[in-house]
Amino acid sequence: MKIILIGFMGSGKTSVGKYLSGILNLEFFDMDFEIEKKESKSISNIFKGFGEDYFRKIESEMLKNLIRKEKCIISSGGGIVLNNLDILKMESNVIFLDADVNTIKLNLEKDICKRPLIKKENLNEKNIKEILSNRYQKYIDCSDYIIDVNNKSIETISREIIKNVL
Ligand code: S3P
C-alpha cells in the first residue's frame, strides 16, 4: 500500500506520516527531507540560491521517483499540487489534510524556520489565505480522501486515515 499525504504547510503531513508509518509498518518519505538530502542543502538555501522554479523542478522529479515505490507513506510539500496534479490524480490513496487558516497559523508559529514562502514577518492570516486560495481546489481535485484536521490530534487523524484507506 502507498499513501500520499497532501495539504498546506503546517497541516501536519510530516507528523501524521511518521505516525502512520510506525503503525502500518511502511517506509516513510518526507519529500522536503529527501530533497535536502539529495541536494545537500536546506530548502531555504535552495530557494535562496536557485529560486522557486528550480525547487519546483526537483520537487516534481522527487515525486516521480518516490511514487514508483509500491509500499510507503509519502509526505509531500505543500506546493506539490502546483505542477503535479495529473500524476497525483492517477494515484489511489492521496489524502488531503484539510486545515483551516487558524490551525495553519498556529502550527506554523511553532515551526517556521524551514519555510521560505512564509516567514516570521509575513506569517499572518492574509498571506496564508492568499497562498491557500490558489491551491485549495487543486488539493480537492487530486485527493481521494479529505480529512478535516482542525482540533484533532495526530493519533485521531491517523486513525481516521486508517479507517478510510484500509
Ligand atoms: C512549500 C511547502 C514546504 C516546502 C517549501 C514550499 C509550499 O513543505 O516544500 O517550503 O510551497 O507550500 P511543507 O508543506 O512540508 O511545509
Side-chain angles (χ1 to χ4, degrees):
M1 155 171 311
K2 179 168 58 200
I3 294 175
I4 303 173
L5 300 173
I6 64 167
F8 202 76
M9 292 169 260
S11 58
K13 300 176 298 271
T14 302
S15 309
V16 169
K18 273 186 194 159
Y19 189 85
L20 275 178
S21 83
I23 296 185
L24 299 175
N25 200 19
L26 287 171
E27 206 174 351
F28 172 65
F29 297 98
D30 178 76
M31 284 194 49
D32 285 344
F33 180 72
E34 295 301 318
I35 290 171
E36 289 184 331
K37 223 166 49 179
K38 179 164 178 278
E39 297 285 307
S40 307
K41 284 181 197 71
S42 68
I43 299 293
S44 296
N45 281 339
I46 297 172
F47 267 72
K48 244 188 259 164
F50 304 95
E52 183 172 347
D53 286 354
Y54 176 77
F55 173 77
R56 296 297 171 205
K57 200 173 124 260
I58 49 176
E59 182 181 46
S60 296
E61 280 165 14
M62 182 59 74
L63 179 68
K64 280 189 196 114
N65 281 335
L66 291 176
I67 231 163
R68 286 199 203 111
K69 294 181 187 288
E70 295 274 307
K71 293 178 184 176
C72 66
I73 297 183
I74 300 171
S75 161
S76 62
I80 197 72
V81 291
L82 294 175
N83 299 308
N84 301 288
L85 272 189
D86 289 347
I87 182 171
L88 288 168
K89 277 181 187 168
M90 276 156 47
E91 291 296 315
S92 42
N93 290 320
V94 177
I95 296 168
F96 172 29
L97 303 191
D98 188 4
D100 65 21
V101 173
N102 200 35
T103 301
I104 291 170
K105 186 166 174 280
L106 284 173
N107 286 344
L108 288 182
E109 276 164 359
K110 289 182 225 150
D111 178 23
I112 196 68
C113 54
K114 81 172 185 88
R115 298 182 168 105
L117 292 183
I118 299 192
K119 300 197 183 77
K120 229 184 194 161
E121 53 279 15
N122 65 2
L123 174 52
N124 55 57
E125 289 190 9
K126 184 174 168 285
N127 194 29
I128 294 171
K129 269 188 200 152
E130 215 170 284
I131 306 176
L132 185 57
S133 68
N134 181 36
R135 296 179 179 182
Y136 193 76
Q137 192 56 45
K138 296 184 170 77
Y139 291 134
I140 303 273
D141 286 350
C142 67
S143 57
D144 300 293
Y145 301 99
I146 300 169
I147 313 266
D148 175 345
V149 297
N150 299 300
N151 304 310
K152 289 181 189 161
S153 67
I154 300 301
E155 290 84 347
T156 304
I157 299 165
S158 303
R159 256 185 271 123
E160 220 171 303
I161 292 176
I162 290 170
K163 208 174 90 192
N164 282 293
V165 172
L166 291 186

